[in-house]
Amino acid sequence: MFVSVAAFLGLFAVAAVTSETIIDLGDERWILQNPSLDISVPGSVPSHAHLDLLENKIIDEPTYGLGDLELRWIAYANWTYLSPAISGLITSSDISTYLVFNGIDTFANISFCDQSIGTTNNQFRQWTFDVTSILSNCTKPPALALSFISAPVMANYLGNLSNPTLNCSTCFEAQYEFTDRLFIRKEQSDFGWDWGPAFAPAGIWQPAYIVQLKHKEIYVLNSMVDIYRRGQLNNLPPDQTEPWIVNASVDYLGALPDGTGMRTTIMDTSGQIFLSGPLSDVITANGTITGDVLVDKTPDLWWPSGHGDQNLYNMTLEIVDGQNKSLASVQKRIGFRTIVLNQGVITDEQSSQGIAPGANWHFEINGHEIFCKGSNLVPLDPFWPRVTEDDMEFLIKSAIAANQNMLRVWASGSYLPDFFYDMADEYGLLLWSELEFSDALYPTVPSFLSNVREEAQYHIRRLNHHPSLALWAGNNEIELGLDILTEEDPESTVSAKQQYEKLFLDVLLHTVYDNSRSISYSPSSTTNGYISLNHSAPLPMVERYINLSAGSIYGDSDYYNYDPTQAFNISSYPVARFANEFGFHSQPSYQTWSSSIPASELHFNSSTILSRNHHYTLNTSTFLTSAVDPPVPENQTEMSLGGMGQLSQATLMYFPVARKLDRRANFTAQIYTTQIFQSEFDRSQIAAYRRGSGQAQRTLGALYWQLNDIWAAPTWSSIEVGGRWKLLHYGARDIFKPVVIAPYFDVESGTLEVWVTSDLWQPINGSATLRWYDWSGKALANGTETHVQVGPINSTSVWTLNTTALPFALDNAVAILSVDATRQDGKKYNHTHPFYPIPFSSDRVQQNLHDPKLRLSYSVKQQTFTVESQAVAAWVWLEHPVGVRGYFTDNGFWMLPGKRDVQFVTQRDDTKGEWVHEVTVSSLWDLTQP
Ligand code: BMA
C-alpha cells in the first residue's frame, strides 16, 4: 500500500449512513497483469499501474531522471486488474447487488463472474453496474477483472479520420507529448503540458465498492446542497435582503417507498441548532430525491480570507419514510454566502466614478466587490492516488500565507476532492473551478456530449455546497483561441464557433444552471464576457467574442510575453477588468533538482534538465496564448531554445552573471537569477493590476500562473514540487499585502510614479516615505514624506518625479519606498518596496555595489534566524536543506545595513531539527563574484 493512498480514499465519497452491505474493493488483494510483458504483481485500489509497478520494484520512481521518456511503454501497454474471488456476498432473491466505481482511469472492459458487464470511457465519471442477475447465476464466489486499453492508443484511434465514431474535421488541439487528447475524457495534462510530463496512467484511481441492498434500502451515490437568496438567478447579483433558501438533493441506488420525505438539522460549529425540520416540495424522480427549506433566520455569513470570518454550519440531511424513520443520512459542512461573477454593463453611476465604459468582470461576495489575489493550481502529481491531504493542505496554507484569497482550479487537471474544498472553506480561499477542457476544439457528436454531461453533473452536484466554490468556468482559453482565429480568418471560424457553443453554451451551461442557482458560469476562462443573458432563452448567454467598441473595456486577460526587453514596460501589460493568467518560468532549486535527477546531471543545461523543459515556444515576442500553439520542434536543441533560451536571455539582460568556476555554484547562480527575474516580472504585473483597481479599467483580480508544480522542471510555479517556496512565492506574499506602495517607472522618460493601493473595504489614512541610499547604505538625500488616503479597493498616486533631475548618480542609488497606514477601526498596515533605476547588468552599477558581508545566526531558544548586513543587500535568500517542508516568515527581501529576524513555519521535519544548522544565506552580491 502506498504511504499516501489514504488521502484520496475520501475523494468523491459522500458521508452516508444506511444499513446496506458494502464491500470496499480496496480491501481485496488485487493483481496487476500484462501477460505479453510477462508482468503479474500485486495491485491496489485506488491506484494506477505505474504506482503498482513502482511498489513492486518493476520500475523506479517515474518522475525521477528520464522516467517521463523511458516509461512511455507503460502508457502504450494494456493492463488488467484482477480481484480475488470475493467472499461475503449475500445471494438471496430479495437482494440487489451493484458495483460502484467512483472513478476509473479510463478505458476499461469490466467483467464480473467471467461475464462482461460493461465498458468505461470517462475518467471523471462515477460508474454503477447492476450485477444482481449475474451474481444469482454465479456458481462460485465471483471475481472482478478490469482490462484497460491504453489511453494514448485509444485517443489516436478515436481521432483517426477513418474512424467515423468521434473524429471531427474542425477539431484542433494544442499538442504536447501524446496527441488526440480532445477525443477522450481523461485528465488532459496526462498527455503532457508545457509544465509537465506525459505518463497517461491507467487504473481504478478512486474507491470502488460492491453494494447489496434489501427492499427499502438505498445507497447514496452523490448529494447536492444549493444555498441561495430567494429569487436568485445564476450570474446575476441577488437581492441581499431576501431570505435564504436551502435546496438539497440526494442521488441514490435502490428504490424509495411511497411517501418518502426529507428532513434536515443545521447546527453551528458550537453545536447549537440553527435550523431543524422537514424539507418542502419533495420530489423523487430518476434516482434523485430533492426538497427545499426557506430559512427564516439570519445566519452568520461566510467570508473569504482577509474580509471576515469563515462561518460554517454542519448539516445533516436525512431521507425518511412515511413513519419518519431514517432511510439514509448525509453530513455536509456548509456556509451561507452569495458569490457572483458580475459581467453586467457599466452603469451610469460607475461611469460617474471614472470607470471606463464596457462591462464589469469581477466577483461579488455577499454583495461586496472583492479584489481577487491569487494564482492558478495545476495537478500536484501525475498520479493522484498518492497525493496526500498534507500535500494539499500545505498548498492551501501557502496560498493563504501569501495573502491570496482565490485559486483558479485550472481546466485540464482533475476535479478536486471534497477535502480540498473543505480546507478552502476553512481557510477562506475562493476556488474558481473549471470543467476539464483546454486549448482544443472538442467533438460534439451526441455520445461525446452525453458523456461530458454525466461527468459535469456529478462534480457540479458533489461540490456545490462548499462556500469556497466561486465559479464554474467551462474551459481554459478556448474562447481566446477562437478570437485569435476569428481575427485571422473570420470565415473558417463560423463552424468552429457553432461547435464551441454547442458544448460550452448549451450543454455545459445548462448542466450548471439545471443543478445550481448559486453559482455563476463562464464558458471560458479568458473571455470578453456576454452581450446578453436571458435565463428563459434556449441559449441563455450570447457571448461578446471580439465585438468590442473602441474605448470600452470588457473581460479578463491572459498575458505571456517572453521578450525580456518588455518585462518592466508597464504600458505593454494588458488593461482589463481582471488578470486571470500571467507569468514567466524559472528554475526550481538545486535541492529540488537533486531529489529528482542523478548527481551527474546537476549542472547548467545538462541533458536531463533540458529534457524537462516542455515549454517549446520559440517565439519571444508579445502574444496572448493561442489555442493553436506553434508546432513542437523536432530536435532537443531547438526545443530547449524555447523555455531555456528565454531564461538565459532574461537573466543576462537584467543581472550580473559572473561565470563561476565551480559547477554547482554556476548552476545555483542560474537558478537564483531566474527566480529573481520571475518574481520581479510577476510582481511588476501584480502591482500594475492592483493599481488598476483605482483606474478607469477598475481591475479587480490578479491570479498569476502558476501556484504549484507536478514535477521538478523549469516552470511558471511559485512553489516547487515537494513544497519549497520559490522566490516568487515570497515576492507574491509581499506584493499581495492589503496595502502596498509600488514604483511605476518609465525607462524612456525617466519618470517615476509611486502609488499606494489598498484592497481593504474601509478607507485607510497614513503616510508614505521615499528615501534614497547609495549601495553602501548611506542616505543620499533627506527623502520625502507625504500624507496618504486611499478609499475602499482603490489606489492613489503619491509622487511623480523625474529621476534624470536627481542630484546624485542613478547608478549608485536605490530608493526605499514605504507606507504606514491605519484603517478606520485602528488596524495598522505597512509595506516597503525598493526601487533602483538602472538594472544590475550595468557595469557601472556593479562597480558601485558593496559586499554586504551577510552573516546568519540561529537562536535555538527563540527559534529565530538573524541575518546581519553591512551594506544594501538585494534579494537576501535563505535556503534550507532537503528533509523539511515549510517556509520562512520572510525571504528574498532587501536589507539596509542592520539586522533582520526570520522564523520558519514547519509542516514536516524528517531531520529531527538538524536542518537548522544547514541553512545558508546569499544575496545578489554573490552573483558578481567568480
Ligand atoms: C496558459 C495556461 C496553460 C499553460 C500556461 C503557460 O496557456 O492556461 O495552458 O500551461 O499558459 O504557457
Side-chain angles (χ1 to χ4, degrees):
M1 182 61 67
F2 307 103
V3 268
S4 47
V5 157
F8 260 63
L9 288 178
L11 178 56
F12 311 164
V14 180
V17 180
T18 50
S19 53
E20 73 286 281
T21 305
I22 299 173
I23 292 181
D24 184 344
L25 290 169
D27 296 337
E28 304 293 328
R29 293 167 164 267
W30 291 79
I31 300 281
L32 171 68
Q33 270 190 357
N34 182 313
S36 56
L37 293 169
D38 200 19
I39 292 175
S40 179
V41 292
S44 304
V45 172
S47 189
H48 274 132
H50 286 80
L51 296 178
D52 289 327
L53 295 172
L54 172 65
E55 179 73 5
N56 290 286
K57 303 195 168 39
I58 307 282
I59 60 169
D60 293 328
E61 166 55 44
T63 59
Y64 188 81
L66 296 173
D68 171 41
L69 302 168
E70 290 171 351
L71 298 180
R72 298 267 162 100
W73 60 271
I74 304 176
Y76 281 121
N78 298 328
W79 298 96
T80 299
Y81 275 90
L82 296 171
S83 80
I86 296 161
S87 55
L89 290 173
I90 312 161
T91 43
S92 144
S93 59
D94 64 341
I95 295 239
S96 304
T97 304
Y98 303 89
L99 298 177
V100 177
F101 294 93
N102 283 351
I104 294 177
D105 186 9
T106 291
F107 297 100
N109 287 309
I110 307 175
S111 71
F112 183 68
C113 191
D114 300 326
Q115 287 200 46
S116 175
I117 56 165
T119 57
T120 62
N121 63 351
N122 188 330
Q123 173 182 2
F124 306 119
R125 278 176 65 179
Q126 183 188 44
W127 299 93
T128 57
F129 300 94
D130 185 340
V131 291
T132 311
S133 67
I134 296 181
L135 183 63
S136 60
N137 295 321
C138 197
T139 53
K140 54 186 178 182
L144 264 165
L146 283 86
S147 304
F148 287 88
I149 298 166
S150 155
V153 169
M154 195 67 177
N156 290 158
Y157 168 76
L158 293 169
N160 190 325
L161 285 179
S162 62
N163 166 20
T165 48
L166 266 193
N167 76 74
C168 85
S169 51
T170 39
C171 287
F172 55 76
E173 69 178 311
Q175 278 180 12
Y176 297 97
E177 312 301 316
F178 297 119
T179 56
D180 293 330
R181 62 182 168 83
L182 64 160
F183 297 102
I184 66 169
R185 294 310 301 143
K186 173 170 173 57
E187 178 162 306
Q188 299 283 276
S189 62
D190 279 352
F191 275 33
W193 213 264
D194 55 7
W195 37 258
F199 289 108
I204 307 163
W205 75 300
Q206 296 292 334
Y209 307 96
I210 299 182
V211 175
Q212 296 205 290
L213 301 175
K214 291 199 211 88
H215 178 58
K216 274 177 93 173
E217 282 180 354
I218 61 163
Y219 175 80
V220 175
L221 289 168
N222 198 10
S223 56
M224 198 270 328
V225 175
D226 195 26
I227 301 176
Y228 52 90
R229 297 276 188 186
R230 187 170 61 188
Q232 184 172 345
L233 291 173
N234 312 73
N235 289 72
L236 295 177
D239 180 345
Q240 297 292 338
T241 63
E242 284 289 334
W244 295 94
I245 291 184
V246 176
N247 180 290
S249 71
V250 174
D251 307 325
Y252 59 88
L253 281 176
L256 285 173
D258 288 345
T260 302
M262 296 174 90
R263 69 176 178 227
T264 187
T265 303
I266 300 177
M267 311 236 242
D268 66 22
T269 40
S270 68
Q272 297 292 312
I273 292 181
F274 170 70
L275 184 149
S276 182
L279 270 59
S280 326
D281 309 317
V282 175
I283 297 171
T284 308
N286 307 321
T288 296
I289 181 165
T290 306
D292 53 39
V293 58
L294 183 118
V295 180
D296 55 3
K297 290 182 181 161
T298 307
D300 291 328
L301 300 183
W302 181 93
W303 299 95
S305 173
H307 293 291
D309 294 335
Q310 287 73 57
N311 294 304
L312 295 165
Y313 291 84
N314 292 314
M315 176 176 186
T316 303
L317 180 64
E318 280 177 294
I319 300 175
V320 288
D321 67 11
Q323 288 71 50
N324 222 14
K325 184 173 154 266
S326 184
L327 300 174
S329 121
V330 174
Q331 311 287 334
K332 299 245 170 198
R333 203 183 48 191
I334 56 167
F336 291 83
R337 59 89 184 91
T338 65
I339 177 106
V340 175
L341 169 58
N342 183 345
Q343 301 178 49
V345 172
I346 296 295
T347 60
D348 291 345
E349 193 192 336
Q350 287 181 300
S351 300
S352 69
Q353 293 160 356
I355 297 177
N360 289 289
W361 207 101
H362 67 250
F363 289 88
E364 289 174 16
I365 177 90
N366 299 327
H368 292 259
E369 289 181 348
I370 177 173
F371 192 102
C372 298
K373 302 182 290 193
S375 51
N376 287 267
L377 183 95
V378 301
L380 281 70
D381 193 295
F383 311 104
W384 282 107
R386 69 173 174 179
V387 175
T388 66
E389 291 188 358
D390 273 359
D391 297 336
M392 291 187 276
E393 182 174 13
F394 187 70
L395 282 186
I396 289 181
K397 280 188 172 166
S398 296
I400 293 287
N403 292 308
Q404 305 190 11
N405 56 27
M406 177 178 270
L407 294 184
R408 180 175 155 230
V409 182
W410 171 79
S412 278
S414 173
Y415 302 93
L416 295 183
D418 270 288
F419 171 77
F420 194 88
Y421 285 79
D422 276 329
M423 296 278 304
D425 294 343
E426 279 168 33
Y427 283 90
L429 194 59
L430 293 165
L431 297 176
W432 158 338
S433 304
E434 300 191 339
L435 305 168
E436 307 300 337
F437 301 86
S438 183
D439 300 288
L441 190 61
Y442 287 82
T444 45
V445 293
S447 58
F448 189 85
L449 294 179
S450 64
N451 198 5
V452 303
R453 194 182 288 112
E454 292 288 332
E455 158 194 336
Q457 169 144 311
Y458 177 50
H459 297 287
I460 289 164
R461 292 173 68 74
R462 179 175 67 83
L463 295 171
N464 196 67
H465 64 283
H466 293 283
S468 57
L469 177 67
L471 172 74
W472 279 112
N475 68 69
N476 172 56
E477 292 178 333
I478 304 178
E479 201 165 304
L480 173 65
L482 282 177
D483 290 347
I484 293 169
L485 289 179
T486 310
E487 258 173 325
E488 287 163 5
D489 181 2
E491 287 298 300
S492 70
T493 40
V494 173
S495 62
K497 247 180 206 161
Q498 283 168 352
Q499 194 176 324
Y500 172 82
E501 296 199 348
K502 181 76 206 154
L503 180 53
F504 297 106
L505 284 148
D506 183 359
V507 173
L508 291 173
L509 177 142
H510 281 117
T511 312
V512 175
Y513 282 15
D514 290 351
N515 285 286
S516 169
R517 293 175 74 163
S518 59
I519 290 298
S520 301
Y521 174 77
S522 172
S524 198
S525 58
T526 307
T527 166
N528 288 314
Y530 58 70
I531 290 182
S532 65
L533 178 67
N534 173 2
H535 285 78
S536 330
L539 284 187
M541 232 178 231
V542 178
E543 286 293 82
R544 188 183 314 278
Y545 299 116
I546 48 174
N547 300 315
L548 314 174
S549 300
S552 291
I553 299 175
Y554 302 93
D556 59 341
S557 67
D558 180 320
Y559 178 71
Y560 296 92
N561 188 344
Y562 298 105
D563 174 357
T565 64
Q566 296 305 302
F568 304 106
N569 175 5
I570 289 152
S571 66
S572 67
Y573 303 163
V575 175
R577 302 290 186 200
F578 196 108
N580 62 305
E581 272 195 45
F582 54 93
F584 202 88
H585 46 303
S586 71
Q587 289 277 24
S589 65
Y590 190 87
Q591 292 84 345
T592 294
W593 272 127
S594 66
S595 311
S596 306
I597 62 173
S600 58
E601 291 295 291
L602 280 168
H603 56 94
F604 179 74
N605 285 1
S606 72
S607 57
T608 305
I609 284 174
L610 289 185
S611 78
R612 296 280 175 124
N613 168 53
H614 287 191
H615 170 45
Y616 306 132
T617 314
L618 298 171
N619 192 349
T620 54
S621 62
T622 307
F623 69 96
L624 293 170
T625 311
S626 144
V628 191
D629 276 4
V632 175
E634 276 175 6
N635 62 59
Q636 201 178 52
T637 320
E638 221 184 308
M639 274 153 72
S640 61
L641 276 177
M644 302 303 271
Q646 289 156 5
L647 291 181
S648 297
Q649 284 166 350
T651 47
L652 281 168
M653 185 159 291
Y654 293 99
F655 300 103
V657 263
R659 291 275 165 248
K660 311 267 182 190
L661 300 175
D662 175 71
R663 215 156 84 140
R664 173 171 177 164
N666 208 36
F667 187 32
T668 51
Q670 189 222 13
I671 292 168
Y672 172 64
T673 326
T674 64
Q675 289 201 13
I676 298 176
F677 178 79
Q678 176 196 32
S679 178
E680 288 299 284
F681 185 17
D682 283 16
R683 279 166 54 86
S684 170
Q685 287 189 69
I686 292 169
Y689 302 137
R690 289 197 62 184
R691 176 176 70 160
S693 65
Q695 297 177 305
Q697 57 268 36
R698 183 72 175 151
T699 305
L700 287 176
L703 314 180
Y704 65 83
W705 184 268
Q706 66 196 66
L707 176 70
N708 61 310
D709 262 334
I710 194 168
W711 68 337
T715 76
W716 297 256
S717 74
S718 65
I719 300 181
E720 299 170 12
V721 70
R724 182 180 294 263
W725 287 19
K726 283 181 176 173
L727 208 134
L728 168 60
H729 207 77
Y730 293 102
R733 176 183 218 208
D734 176 76
I735 201 70
F736 276 147
K737 285 176 101 176
V739 177
V740 288
I741 188 164
Y744 302 84
F745 188 49
D746 182 343
V747 187
E748 294 290 310
S749 65
T751 305
L752 170 66
E753 286 185 55
V754 178
W755 287 62
V756 172
T757 302
S758 165
D759 71 332
L760 298 170
W761 288 353
Q762 300 85 21
I764 52 152
N765 262 293
S767 63
T769 57
L770 184 162
R771 296 190 203 288
W772 290 95
Y773 300 87
D774 70 13
W775 289 111
S776 76
K778 190 162 75 44
L780 284 175
N782 288 341
T784 161
E785 180 164 353
T786 189
H787 175 252
V788 192
Q789 195 172 2
V790 189
I793 320 181
N794 215 329
S795 59
T796 189
S797 170
V798 190
W799 294 290
T800 301
L801 52 119
N802 177 2
T803 56
T804 59
L806 289 169
F808 42 76
L810 291 185
D811 48 38
N812 194 8
V814 54
I816 303 296
L817 317 170
S818 62
V819 61
D820 282 287
T822 309
R823 198 169 64 177
Q824 261 173 350
D825 62 0
K827 193 162 165 36
K828 300 209 174 303
Y829 297 86
N830 62 64
H831 183 239
T832 61
H833 198 304
F835 166 73
Y836 53 99
I838 303 188
F840 291 107
S841 48
S842 147
D843 289 343
R844 288 175 299 137
V845 174
Q846 284 179 36
Q847 279 152 20
N848 288 323
L849 290 179
H850 283 244
D851 182 355
K853 299 198 172 77
L854 292 183
R855 278 184 46 207
L856 179 70
S857 55
Y858 181 71
S859 155
V860 179
K861 201 162 152 220
Q862 266 136 34
Q863 302 196 341
T864 299
F865 296 92
T866 302
V867 186
E868 213 174 324
S869 175
Q870 296 188 17
V872 176
W875 296 293
V876 174
W877 189 230
L878 296 160
E879 283 191 281
H880 61 80
V882 289
V884 61
R885 176 152 77 183
Y887 56 88
F888 293 102
T889 49
D890 205 356
N891 205 357
F893 47 80
W894 284 51
M895 286 180 78
L896 289 168
K899 288 185 180 180
R900 182 118 157 198
D901 287 344
V902 174
Q903 275 100 29
F904 192 80
V905 179
T906 312
Q907 193 211 29
R908 199 180 66 213
D909 177 11
D910 303 330
T911 74
K912 299 198 174 71
E914 286 304 308
W915 67 273
V916 295
H917 306 299
E918 288 176 53
V919 174
T920 59
V921 68
S922 59
S923 74
L924 178 91
W925 167 259
D926 298 278
L927 291 178
T928 64
Q929 303 303 300

